[in-house]
Amino acid sequence: MTIPSCLSTLLRALRIEWRETRRTLFPPSWTETGLFLFFFLLYGIIGYYMLFYTELIDVPNGGPGSYLGYDNLFHLHTRGGAFDVSHPFFSLFHLLKTLLIILLTSLFKEKTGGIICLVLMNLLITGGLVLIYRYLKQIVQVSTRRALLLTGFTGCFFTTVVLSFTTESYPFSFFLLVFSLLMLSREYKLTGYIKGRTILFLSFLCGGITITNAAKPAMAVFLNKTPFLHKIRTGFKVMLPFVVCVAVIMGFYTLKAKLFAPEGPSPIETTQQLGQYFIHDETFSKQALIDFWGNTIMSTPLTQQQVGHEVVLRPSEYLHSWNNAVVVLLLVLVAASALLNLRNKYVQLLLMYLSIDFVIHFIIRYGMNEAILFGGHWMFAVPMLLGWLYNRLPVRMYRILDWTVIGFFVLTATMNTLEFMRLWEEVG
């Protein structure tokens, strides 16, 4: 095949995927528009107070960052480069941010970068919530009232709120992973088959933000009714272009580091420093239940703690035993839904997504002490699996599950609101 014919094929494939992308995202219903506006304004108010009335986002003298000791300042004030290997296409965000800052500095002279980042992160989280609602309506096919309830519950998760004002890769991952799940599920629902072209497109989108997320859409090949070896070959063909692209980017940034900062670490050496976030001690079980699962939903009190050479905000212990009981009960419901729906192809796809995170965090034991942000990679599974639970329960039990979710909703919203109010008083 000649180069022009290859380019023609590529452009035709991109046009098709762009058309499918528009069909997945648009048109929004009036309910979805109202849902978007509600959360966008709510998160916008929270972000405004965080930026202008606290030092949690733009810290002038160094200190606790808005996302609990991560690289918030790095993403606000630089163009990238710290983790170019693990986030290969994230430099595009820094380019967009820089261009917007240049264009809007005359309008917003104070904290222009912070305002732009807040709006972008807010759009991603709010858009992700709308896509969760659409997944519940189109794929799970629950009622509008229950879809709104589950989406509202997700919207008050501690991780969801924190990500709405956190300048990082996780808001991008949250939006793109939900989008990919919806697009793959819609294609399977309509045709009973997921095309390799679609998987390649979504793997580049998700993996370009966080490299391990590329494997999540790629696992959709296992839903197709084809021989196992054919699935393996398709998966290899899908992942090979992405791996080659990442290798090229890795080489570019390594060469750049050697030319402009020969004394400093290369991107590969920087990525190896992530080993400090591996957990291999007696706190693993506690972190698995409370830090990784519980705090993602309902925060414990945040305290300033010494982590490495920095003093950062970190979750502490739950103050009451009923807090533990609540998060355990929610975990039981989510796990029960997964078990009851094991034969459901859409749930199988969702569990394939979660299996990647399970290996990273529970087998390799990476990043469990930073789960509030890592929750952006998997917390959308909570409302989705609760939605699928309705499909497995007798109709007479729907009301019981409704009131259970309402109880979770009220408790989570109340506890997280109180924690943010305490936080504003402490650091404002």
Side-chain angles (χ1 to χ4, degrees):
M1 184 178 290
T2 63
I3 293 178
S5 63
C6 288
L7 291 175
S8 176
T9 302
L10 176 61
L11 290 174
R12 185 168 60 252
L14 288 174
R15 283 198 299 269
I16 294 172
E17 292 310 317
W18 173 243
R19 187 164 60 245
E20 292 303 316
T21 296
R22 285 185 298 167
R23 289 175 179 171
T24 303
L25 295 176
F26 302 103
S29 65
W30 286 107
T31 303
E32 291 172 341
T33 302
L35 186 67
F36 178 89
L37 291 175
F38 173 78
F39 278 111
F40 186 77
L41 292 174
L42 175 63
Y43 295 151
I45 293 171
I46 295 173
Y48 176 84
Y49 274 93
M50 286 291 180
L51 181 61
F52 287 98
Y53 293 95
T54 75
E55 294 183 351
L56 287 177
I57 292 181
D58 201 349
V59 187
N61 300 313
S66 71
Y67 80 108
L68 313 177
Y70 292 82
D71 297 330
N72 198 62
L73 292 178
F74 164 79
H75 289 295
L76 276 174
H77 299 296
T78 71
R79 297 185 180 183
F83 300 112
D84 293 311
V85 176
S86 53
H87 306 289
F89 304 152
F90 199 60
S91 57
L92 295 175
F93 159 70
H94 292 287
L95 175 62
L96 173 62
K97 178 197 66 180
T98 302
L99 293 174
L100 288 175
I101 289 174
I102 294 172
L103 291 172
L104 300 177
T105 297
S106 59
L107 296 177
F108 306 103
K109 295 183 179 180
E110 184 182 3
K111 299 187 177 182
T112 305
I115 293 172
I116 291 171
C117 290
L118 281 178
V119 172
L120 289 174
M121 300 306 111
N122 191 350
L123 286 171
L124 290 166
I125 296 301
T126 306
L129 290 173
V130 173
L131 293 183
I132 288 174
Y133 171 85
R134 188 172 294 185
Y135 178 94
L136 291 168
K137 286 287 295 177
Q138 294 183 356
I139 307 302
V140 187
Q141 296 183 329
V142 299
S143 66
T144 299
R145 178 170 55 87
R146 292 189 173 98
L148 286 172
L149 173 62
L150 292 169
T151 306
F153 176 40
T154 311
C156 70
F157 287 0
F158 190 68
T159 290
T160 315
V161 179
V162 169
L163 288 181
S164 72
F165 60 80
T166 295
T167 310
E168 240 290 349
S169 63
Y170 299 94
F172 288 86
S173 292
F174 174 73
F175 177 84
L176 290 174
L177 288 172
V178 177
F179 166 72
S180 66
L181 268 171
L182 177 60
M183 189 168 176
L184 290 169
S185 299
R186 286 182 75 253
E187 183 168 307
Y188 190 80
K189 191 178 185 70
L190 292 172
T191 66
Y193 184 85
I194 297 177
K195 297 184 292 293
R197 182 180 60 237
T198 303
I199 295 172
L200 175 62
F201 171 69
L202 294 173
S203 291
F204 263 86
L205 281 182
C206 297
I209 298 301
T210 296
I211 192 169
T212 53
N213 284 338
K216 295 179 179 180
M219 297 186 75
V221 297
F222 291 103
L223 295 186
N224 294 333
K225 295 179 180 179
T226 56
F228 180 76
L229 289 179
H230 182 271
K231 295 175 182 178
I232 297 298
R233 286 196 299 269
T234 302
F236 178 79
K237 292 178 182 178
V238 165
M239 292 303 297
L240 182 60
F242 178 76
V243 172
V244 171
C245 188
V246 171
V248 171
I249 291 173
M250 186 186 304
F252 169 77
Y253 280 114
T254 300
L255 179 62
K256 177 184 173 184
K258 294 299 182 183
L259 290 176
F260 295 99
E263 302 301 324
S266 70
I268 297 176
E269 292 170 338
T270 304
T271 305
Q272 291 172 348
Q273 296 173 7
L274 298 176
Q276 63 183 301
Y277 301 113
F278 286 73
I279 306 300
H280 294 291
D281 56 30
E282 67 279 359
T283 65
F284 174 77
S285 58
K286 176 245 177 199
Q287 288 179 334
L289 178 63
I290 304 302
D291 293 346
F292 192 80
W293 168 254
N295 279 310
T296 307
I297 313 295
M298 185 170 63
S299 177
T300 59
L302 300 176
T303 59
Q304 294 192 14
Q305 303 172 28
Q306 184 77 29
V307 177
H309 300 291
E310 297 179 299
V311 177
V312 299
L313 289 169
R314 277 287 190 269
S316 55
E317 301 284 341
Y318 281 126
L319 298 179
H320 309 286
S321 58
W322 64 264
N323 298 109
N324 294 289
V326 168
V327 297
V328 169
L329 177 59
L330 180 60
L331 179 60
V332 168
L333 289 178
V334 170
S337 176
L339 291 173
L340 290 171
N341 288 282
L342 276 180
R343 295 185 179 181
N344 185 313
K345 293 294 184 179
Y346 306 103
V347 174
Q348 288 176 12
L349 178 60
L350 181 56
L351 295 179
M352 289 177 195
Y353 271 52
L354 297 181
S355 68
I356 303 297
D357 296 297
F358 181 85
V359 171
I360 292 170
H361 300 298
F362 288 83
I363 305 300
I364 303 176
R365 298 192 178 187
Y366 168 71
M368 193 164 288
N369 56 339
E370 300 179 337
I372 289 177
L373 270 288
F374 273 107
H377 287 177
W378 57 264
M379 64 181 180
F380 49 81
V382 176
M384 291 178 179
L385 286 172
L386 289 176
W388 285 113
L389 185 57
Y390 279 101
N391 286 358
R392 296 294 298 175
L393 292 177
V395 175
R396 65 179 182 275
M397 296 186 66
Y398 280 13
R399 189 61 58 87
I400 297 174
L401 185 55
D402 285 342
W403 282 107
T404 302
V405 175
I406 290 171
F408 285 137
F409 191 171
V410 172
L411 281 173
T412 301
T414 302
M415 297 298 295
N416 290 339
T417 299
L418 292 174
E419 180 54 32
F420 275 114
M421 292 175 64
R422 186 192 68 80
L423 193 60
W424 285 334
E425 292 178 358
E426 181 178 325
V427 300

